[in-house]
Amino acid sequence: MNHSLDGAEKLRLAIVRVLALELKVSEERILRARSLKSELGFDSIAAANATFPLEDEFAVEFEIGEEDLLDTVDDLLALLCRALSGDPSDG
């Protein structure tokens, strides 16, 4: 009986929800490997606005400037997973 999503999928869905709100697009347009910057207009302001609610929702803090490295949902998922695990970002 698999009635719950795994942890990574829950995080991905939360990211997609936040990005869709910030970018004012449907969740269906937020694909894992799609370039948020070149295809959806994800700039540094949108990155900051998207990371703040995730920090609040998951009680984590991202390092200043990390949002500048984000271009895909997978990038943001990796960042969130690192923050949740407490691992420092070594690049």
Side-chain angles (χ1 to χ4, degrees), residues 5-42:
L5 300 171
D6 69 12
E9 184 63 8
K10 286 181 184 177
L11 294 177
R12 188 191 67 77
L13 291 173
I15 290 167
V16 167
R17 177 181 37 80
V18 167
L19 289 173
L21 287 171
E22 176 58 31
L23 297 172
K24 296 174 179 55
V25 299
S26 69
E27 291 184 10
E28 292 78 25
R29 292 198 57 208
I30 310 291
L31 305 175
R32 289 183 72 138
R34 173 175 257 169
S35 172
L36 300 171
K37 292 178 181 178
S38 66
E39 296 180 45
L40 296 174
F42 190 73

Side-chain angles (χ1 to χ4, degrees), residues 40-85:
L40 296 174
F42 190 73
D43 59 15
S44 59
I45 294 171
N49 289 340
T51 55
F52 293 142
L54 292 170
E55 287 179 320
D56 289 343
E57 184 171 340
F58 295 101
V60 297
E61 276 190 41
F62 301 125
E63 296 294 322
I64 294 174
E66 282 184 312
E67 68 276 358
D68 295 335
L69 304 174
L70 305 175
D71 187 40
T72 66
V73 170
D74 283 346
D75 293 341
L76 189 46
L77 180 59
L79 178 65
L80 185 54
C81 286
R82 276 196 314 271
L84 287 168
S85 71

